[in-house]
Amino acid sequence: AAGVGLDMEQHEGERHGFRVVAVAEEAVSTREVLRAGDLLLAVNGERLAGRDEAALKQLMAGEPESSVELTVIRDDKSAAMAAEAAARARGQVSKQSFAVRRIKGAPGERVGLGLTLHREEEGGQPVIRVADIDPEAACAGHVRVGDVLVALDGVPLDSMQLDAIFEQVRGEPESEVVVTVERDALSRQMHADAAGKAEGNPEESDQPTCVIS
């Protein structure tokens, strides 16, 4: 929409309005109060239900540096879009899937992949990053330190509790599981740092981790 540096798309549902897709980098004042995912319901008190994009632009238009009153809400989709925008702001995000084998073990034993995982918050959403990898594990040639673990055998991890993740990752020794990861700028930096530390003495981390091995 012209005037305040917003890229929006029409939203139809229980609440009619426009969803913020992105906020222009140069729209500093707008970025201070709005973020990707916000649902715009009214402009200067004028409800947006039933209005098209042309009408929205007309409501938004005004003199340079003049102000406009926007009514917005933040819901679950707002948080998800904000998290995705934050990830993309750190760099290009790529998603990859690998079929890897679990670690060795005794027959009948349930084993994992040889990964140490760290749960953290990014953009208001929990993510699971690979903090360390057993160099002897089969996945070491595919999964990298810093990768965000997003799915196991096609099952998204955001729909699973931590206990369920442990259960999903474990199986028969050397059996196969499909691991899906995302890589962003932070992933690549962590991978580079890990490669550098491998040549010297790795530093101890005081961050809480959950170990899957």
Side-chain angles (χ1 to χ4, degrees):
V4 294
L6 293 176
D7 179 14
M8 292 187 287
E9 61 184 13
Q10 197 155 17
H11 173 80
E12 298 288 344
E14 183 179 348
R15 298 183 178 94
H16 294 269
F18 287 81
R19 183 79 67 177
V20 177
V21 177
V23 183
E25 195 70 32
E26 64 273 14
V28 178
S29 61
T30 304
R31 292 176 68 86
E32 290 177 351
V33 293
L34 292 178
R35 67 186 189 189
D38 284 349
L39 182 58
L40 181 62
L41 300 178
V43 177
N44 289 330
E46 296 282 341
R47 303 288 294 183
L48 297 179
R51 298 178 186 265
D52 59 16
E53 189 174 350
L56 173 63
K57 288 183 177 181
Q58 186 174 5
L59 287 172
M60 287 283 203
E63 293 296 320
E65 298 189 32
S66 60
S67 61
V68 61
E69 181 182 317
L70 305 178
T71 303
V72 301
I73 61 170
R74 287 178 178 164
D75 52 19
D76 291 342
K77 186 170 182 179
S78 303
M81 289 181 67
E84 181 179 355
R88 294 189 183 281
R90 291 193 301 270
Q92 183 65 35
V93 178
S94 64
K95 182 179 288 187
Q96 302 182 50
S97 295
F98 309 102
V100 298
R101 294 189 179 278
R102 294 179 171 89
I103 62 175
K104 296 179 180 180
E109 182 183 3
R110 289 180 61 79
V111 299
L113 294 168
L115 301 176
T116 300
L117 304 177
H118 178 222
R119 183 185 289 272
E120 54 196 46
E121 293 283 329
E122 293 185 8
Q125 296 293 307
V127 298
I128 300 174
R129 282 196 186 272
V130 178
D132 197 14
I133 303 174
D134 181 346
E136 301 299 319
C139 66
H142 305 283
V143 180
R144 307 191 314 195
V145 169
D147 284 351
V148 176
L149 195 61
V150 296
L152 293 169
D153 279 336
V155 180
L157 297 188
D158 58 9
S159 65
M160 300 170 62
Q161 298 297 317
L162 189 59
D163 289 346
I165 294 174
F166 274 95
E167 185 64 26
Q168 181 79 4
V169 78
R170 294 182 182 278
E172 291 292 321
E174 299 187 76
S175 58
E176 195 171 84
V177 59
V178 176
V179 176
T180 302
V181 301
E182 285 185 351
R183 287 176 182 163
D184 54 21
L186 180 56
S187 304
R188 290 186 282 274
Q189 183 60 55
M190 289 178 66
H191 174 66
D193 290 346
K197 289 179 180 179
E199 299 177 359
N201 294 321
E203 299 177 2
E204 291 292 331
S205 171
D206 59 1
Q207 293 181 315
T209 60
C210 60
V211 179
I212 298 179
S213 60

